[in-house]
Amino acid sequence: NKVFINHEKIHIRQQAELIIVFFYSWYIIEFMIKLIKYKKFYKAYENISFEREAYVNENDLEYLKNRNFWSFLKYL
């Protein structure tokens, strides 16, 4: 599925920007903060900035060609 692959490519770009280890550190910390805020696992997951960026743009197969560095910050 092209949409799923695009979603995952967005995550790969995010990981590259944050040198993988910082991506996962940020991901876990943000998830924990969102879990405290929303008190629901899936709601916390879907509101992580990395996931929000990927879900909002997964249907735009040209998104990565025009994406700015650290674009996930717009979704905090």
Side-chain angles (χ1 to χ4, degrees):
N1 183 318
K2 289 181 182 182
V3 172
F4 173 77
I5 291 170
N6 195 47
H7 180 100
E8 295 307 320
K9 283 182 177 180
I10 293 169
H11 286 316
I12 291 168
R13 180 74 57 86
Q14 294 164 341
Q15 291 169 17
E17 291 171 351
L18 291 170
I19 315 169
I20 299 176
V21 71
F22 295 112
F23 170 84
Y24 285 106
S25 298
W26 186 320
Y27 194 103
I28 291 166
I29 291 166
E30 189 175 345
F31 174 76
M32 298 306 290
I33 291 168
K34 303 288 183 171
L35 188 57
I36 291 166
K37 179 178 179 178
Y38 295 112
K39 297 176 178 51
K40 293 186 187 234
F41 186 91
Y42 189 75
K43 184 80 169 169
Y45 158 76
E46 69 184 1
N47 279 285
I48 297 169
S49 57
F50 301 116
E51 295 300 337
R52 291 182 64 212
E53 179 188 12
Y55 279 116
V56 167
N57 298 291
E58 67 186 7
N59 289 304
D60 180 359
L61 301 180
E62 301 295 313
Y63 176 68
L64 287 173
K65 291 180 181 175
N66 302 310
R67 181 184 179 271
N68 293 323
F69 192 76
W70 284 27
S71 286
F72 64 89
L73 292 174
K74 292 186 274 187
Y75 298 90
L76 280 173

